[in-house]
Structure formats: structure tokens, C-alpha cells
Amino acid sequence: MRAFIFPGQGSQAVGMGRALADASAAAREVFQEVDDALGQHLFRLMTEGPESDLTLTENAQPAIMANAIATLRVLEKEGGIRLADKADFVAGHSLGEYTALCAAEALDLSTTARLLKLRGQAMQAAVPVGQGAMAALLGADRAKAQALCDAAAEGDVLTVANDNDPGQVVISGAKAAVDRAASLAKEHGIKRAVLLPVSAPFHCPLMQPAAEAMEKALAEAPLRAPLVPVYANVTAAPVADPAEIKRVLVEQVIGTVRWRESIAAMFEAGVTSFVELGGKVVGPMVKRTAPDAEPVSVVTMDDIEALAKTL
């Protein structure tokens, strides 16, 4: 069995998508449709920068999605591949869950771009800059991370945001609490804590205003049943019902991204092949979670051509 998986924020880089667009009309069509949907020159920003603008959450989220969907469309159109024929499940890390839904045709591309633009804006606006923070805990499992959060919170918001793999967990919350957690990490048997260069504390209760904004937007969004089930971040279980998908997307804004559990559950269900499209981030996490799985990351035209021969 096979799953197509999609990266989250942090996988953006100036120059992304340029080689694909140069090589394939299918990719150019994706980037143009996203530009048209957003009314901005996002593709120019992706290819030329500046990096500071591309890194802004409201730009990074639709950009990462567009790059991944362009990769998929090239694979489909030039490789003669249909996702529904080659994938049993799809999943995406945080914003990548929207990419997965677009890939599985539950959301159309323009709607996905607009939802991610709004999601980025709403997440940024939810907490004033400087009041929230996130830190990656290296050499920590979820239990150690939770114990650290309990010890460092002192009445402030501090939660597990991303359970990425057996050795990496991300925490999120009030800046003072995250700073306390970083200083206490070694006492809790955690190798080290690395503050992340993010502009807001994602996937924690401080994001409640953003969750409310997404609930309103998703209520009005046309969303169909996906071609294949999507493993949801907040449940680490497959979902296919449109109403349930909308519910878990709202919950995801403040909830933990249970990526390690999602990969483990897919592997337990019989998935051995994991294809990451548009990045080289979540594939390595797969290998650390399920050592017997076979992840491949597909970014370049050469990657696409090599994958098409094996599917």
C-alpha cells in the first residue's frame, strides 16, 4: 500500500518551483491559477524572493501547497499517473493537510490557495508578535515533552504542538513559558531545545481566534469527499466525510499535529511506501517512525521521472 504525503511550513525556499515551471506547462498552470486566486504575484515571490516576504505565514502556506500540487500535476500529466490509482491514503503535515485534500480533489486548487492565505493571516493575527514562541525538543518523545510543558507552564499556555517522530517534538505557547521550558529541557532528559524562527505560536490554544476564522471560512467552502481517505493530523486516523474533514481542520489550528502517530497508523494499516511531494521534510520523519517503511521525497523533474517509472 502507498500514501502520498505533503510537507508543512518551513519547507519554503526562494527559487522553489522555478525548475518545474521551466520544464512543464502543467506546473506553470498551477502557479498561474494560484496567483489568479490570490490576486498576487506569489510565484514571482517564490522564485525571486525576498526571503523575508516568502517566509511570512500568509505567503509561505499557499506557496508550499502550490509547489507540492505542481509536483503532483507534473507527475500525473507527464507521467501518466492518477493519484486515485496509485495512492491508498494521503496525509499532510499541518498546512500540508490542505495540500493533501487538494491532491485528493476534496478541495479545488483556487479554494485551497484562498483558505491557506486566510489561515496564514488569521494565525499571524491571533497573537501579537513577540508574545508567543515555539521550540523543537530534540531527543524527546511526547511523554517527556508533556512533562516539560507541565513543569514550565506556570499558568501560561504551553502545549505539545507537533509530535513529529520518536525523537522530535515541538512545543508552543506563551513566549515566557517556552523560554522556561528551553532552560529546563536538560533536567527532563531532553538533549536540547531549539527556539524556532516562527512569527506565532501555532497549534496551541492561543490560536483560538484563528480557529474561529477558519470555522467560518470552511463552513462556506465547497468540499467534496476525497478520492482516497485523508489521515487527519488531530486524530491520526483516516477521514473521508466532508463534514468531519471540516471539523478536524478547525480543530487542527489549536490541536496537536499527531504526525508520528499518523505514520505509525498508516504503516500498521499496511502502507509501506510513502511518497513526499514537494519537499524533503516529512519523508525522513517517516523513516525514523517506521524504519521498515520506504519513503521517497520528490522535488525535481528527475525525481518525478524516476518515481513515474516505479509506480
Side-chain angles (χ1 to χ4, degrees), residues 4-7 65 68-69 72 83 89-107 112 116 226-233 249 259:
F4 282 12
I5 57 177
F6 300 91
M65 179 278 297
I69 293 298
L72 174 64
L83 179 143
F89 301 106
V90 292
H93 190 279
S94 190
L95 80 90
E97 192 164 322
Y98 286 80
T99 315
L101 289 163
C102 183
E105 297 181 23
L107 288 168
T112 308
L116 284 174
L227 296 175
V228 298
V230 180
Y231 264 76
N233 285 180
L249 286 175
W259 190 250

Side-chain angles (χ1 to χ4, degrees), residues 55 57 74-75 95 179 199 218 229 276 298 307:
T55 303
T57 302
V74 174
L75 176 66
L95 80 90
D179 288 343
S199 52
L218 285 161
E276 177 182 7
V298 180
L307 177 65

Side-chain angles (χ1 to χ4, degrees), residues 203 211 234-235 244 246-256:
H203 300 293
V234 295
T235 61
E244 179 72 359
K246 289 184 177 185
R247 187 188 69 76
V248 295
L249 286 175
V250 173
E251 193 178 325
Q252 187 227 62
V253 177
I254 61 170
T256 301

Side-chain angles (χ1 to χ4, degrees), residues 80-124:
I81 303 297
R82 276 190 78 240
L83 179 143
D85 296 335
K86 301 297 181 180
D88 299 282
F89 301 106
V90 292
H93 190 279
S94 190
L95 80 90
E97 192 164 322
Y98 286 80
T99 315
L101 289 163
C102 183
E105 297 181 23
L107 288 168
D108 64 62
L109 178 59
S110 293
T111 299
T112 308
R114 286 190 289 267
L115 284 171
L116 284 174
K117 183 77 172 179
L118 172 66
R119 183 176 181 268
Q121 291 170 334
M123 291 172 94
Q124 184 59 67

Side-chain angles (χ1 to χ4, degrees), residues 42-81:
L42 182 65
F43 182 61
R44 183 193 299 164
L45 179 59
M46 290 164 63
T47 55
E48 300 176 9
E51 186 178 3
S52 57
D53 288 352
L54 179 59
T55 303
L56 290 173
T57 302
E58 66 177 81
N59 293 325
Q61 294 199 21
I64 292 163
M65 179 278 297
N67 188 56
I69 293 298
T71 308
L72 174 64
R73 293 278 174 86
V74 174
L75 176 66
E76 289 179 328
K77 293 193 177 178
E78 318 231 345
I81 303 297

Side-chain angles (χ1 to χ4, degrees), residues 175-237:
K175 187 175 188 311
V178 173
D179 288 343
R180 285 193 296 270
S183 66
L184 292 171
K186 288 193 174 174
E187 291 178 27
H188 285 257
I190 295 165
K191 193 180 297 180
R192 64 193 177 108
V194 179
L195 290 173
L196 298 179
V198 294
S199 52
F202 306 135
H203 300 293
C204 81
L206 295 174
M207 289 286 110
Q208 184 58 37
E212 291 166 8
M214 292 312 297
E215 183 173 29
K216 184 173 183 293
L218 285 161
E220 299 166 359
L223 192 151
R224 302 171 291 279
L227 296 175
V228 298
V230 180
Y231 264 76
N233 285 180
V234 295
T235 61

Side-chain angles (χ1 to χ4, degrees), residues 1-6 87-93 100 228-233 235-239 258-275 282 286 289-290 293:
M1 295 175 74
R2 181 181 297 110
F4 282 12
I5 57 177
F6 300 91
D88 299 282
F89 301 106
V90 292
H93 190 279
V228 298
V230 180
Y231 264 76
N233 285 180
T235 61
V239 59
R258 295 167 60 184
W259 190 250
R260 175 187 57 80
E261 291 176 81
S262 297
I263 296 302
M266 282 186 271
F267 186 74
E268 187 72 21
V271 176
T272 54
S273 172
F274 291 83
V275 178
V282 289
V286 168
T289 299

